[in-house]
Amino acid sequence: MAVVPYKDKDTTKKRQVADMFNNISKSYDFLNHFLSLGIDILWRKKAVGMLKEDQPKLILDIATGTGDFAIEALVLKPEKIVGVDISEGMLEVGREKMKRKKIDHIIDMQMGDSEGLLFDDNKFDAVIVSFGVRNFENLKKGLTDMFRVLKPGGKVVILEFSKPSVFPFKQLYNFYFRYILPLIGKIVSSDNAAYTYLPESVNAFPYGQQFLDILQESGFQNTSCKPLTFGISSIYTGIKA
């Protein structure tokens, strides 16, 4: 059974995820950095570093949200980054951010479904995702579509939460994720479901080797997994041969 934000609604996971992000879009950036103590910024830097030697010119940022990962990817000096997301609320905040930073001519924020991308086959040099794939309604379908739009020789880089297994970090992490994070999220964002959904979605996500297996089933080769910060998150990469 799919993990959804609003258990009292009978709408699809996709619809619920879009509604959830619309609800928390104004406070999302603040909460993201605050709740992770800013470590998420370092994680994104490491993930982008995985593309340094590839020097991609055209990058697709899936589930772009407010565009933080796309902004980080500018260090690669691409010609264009296209960010897609199903939440208009998040895109709105992102577009304002791009205008403010005067980078809206490089980063194009578009409404789009990550599981049904409206792009030609073999279009992008790289596809990047940060903390988005666990929100897919159909994970395999989303990954397969990423593979489709990637050029042969192109690379996918996915940053996603995983689960630490080392004592006592595992116990501290579980307590923080289960009790502290939802409480702070509720106070700041006024959407209790969003930050209860976060630990539930992480718990249900097939991380590590399981996720690498799905990447390979979706067509990717030379896959790898790099755990970060005691395994709180991981960077996954794969190549389209």
Side-chain angles (χ1 to χ4, degrees):
M1 198 172 127
V3 174
V4 294
Y6 309 106
K7 294 169 186 62
D8 56 339
K9 294 182 180 177
D10 58 3
T11 48
T12 63
K13 178 174 180 176
K14 197 174 291 182
R15 181 67 260 159
Q16 290 199 28
V17 165
D19 289 344
M20 178 188 77
F21 281 115
N22 285 336
N23 291 342
I24 65 172
S25 58
K26 298 286 188 283
S27 57
Y28 179 80
D29 281 348
F30 166 75
L31 273 172
N32 222 13
H33 305 323
F34 178 74
L35 292 171
S36 73
L37 309 175
I39 298 169
D40 65 304
I41 297 167
L42 297 175
W43 290 340
R44 285 190 184 89
K45 284 185 191 298
K46 280 187 186 296
V48 165
M50 298 283 195
L51 283 168
K52 208 166 263 182
E53 60 188 37
D54 301 272
Q55 296 188 307
K57 293 300 169 202
L58 182 60
I59 301 173
L60 176 63
D61 182 24
I62 298 272
T64 190
T66 63
D68 274 357
F69 204 22
I71 291 168
E72 191 57 54
L74 289 176
V75 300
L76 301 167
K77 296 187 167 42
E79 290 167 8
K80 191 85 176 169
I81 301 175
V82 179
V84 296
D85 204 279
I86 56 170
S87 165
E88 186 53 47
M90 296 286 273
L91 289 168
E92 232 172 78
V93 174
R95 288 185 192 116
E96 283 305 311
K97 199 191 289 186
M98 303 311 159
K99 280 180 194 162
R100 210 166 49 243
K101 291 177 178 286
K102 296 183 169 52
I103 50 174
D104 51 321
H105 61 293
I106 303 173
I107 299 175
D108 180 23
M109 309 280 279
Q110 299 181 9
M111 187 80 162
D113 182 352
S114 305
E115 295 165 47
L117 297 164
L118 301 176
F119 301 110
D120 294 338
D121 297 359
N122 311 314
K123 182 177 177 68
F124 295 92
D125 300 305
V127 176
I128 60 175
V129 198
S130 68
F131 309 113
V133 292
R134 75 177 191 288
N135 297 323
F136 287 2
E137 192 164 81
N138 186 324
L139 179 59
K140 182 87 178 284
K141 192 177 176 190
L143 294 175
T144 304
D145 219 31
M146 282 184 217
F147 182 83
R148 178 184 65 79
V149 301
L150 196 59
K151 285 180 185 174
K155 185 186 283 184
V156 67
V157 177
I158 298 169
L159 175 62
E160 190 51 89
F161 285 114
S162 39
K163 288 182 273 187
S165 55
V166 181
F167 177 86
F169 208 78
K170 176 185 176 181
Q171 286 72 18
L172 288 168
Y173 167 86
N174 286 339
F175 180 78
Y176 177 72
F177 239 38
R178 205 165 290 171
Y179 302 107
I180 309 296
L181 187 143
L183 183 63
I184 299 170
K186 182 183 181 181
I187 293 165
V188 178
S189 76
S190 72
D191 189 323
N192 188 33
Y195 291 91
T196 306
Y197 164 76
L198 176 57
E200 287 174 355
S201 65
V202 171
N203 203 42
F205 185 71
Y207 70 100
Q209 187 56 51
Q210 264 186 297
F211 184 66
L212 288 179
D213 291 344
I214 301 168
L215 265 183
Q216 286 155 18
E217 286 164 19
S218 306
F220 293 100
Q221 296 180 16
N222 301 342
T223 57
S224 72
C225 171
K226 180 183 173 62
L228 303 170
T229 318
F230 304 102
I232 294 180
S233 69
S234 298
I235 302 171
Y236 302 93
T237 60
I239 303 288
K240 178 172 179 175

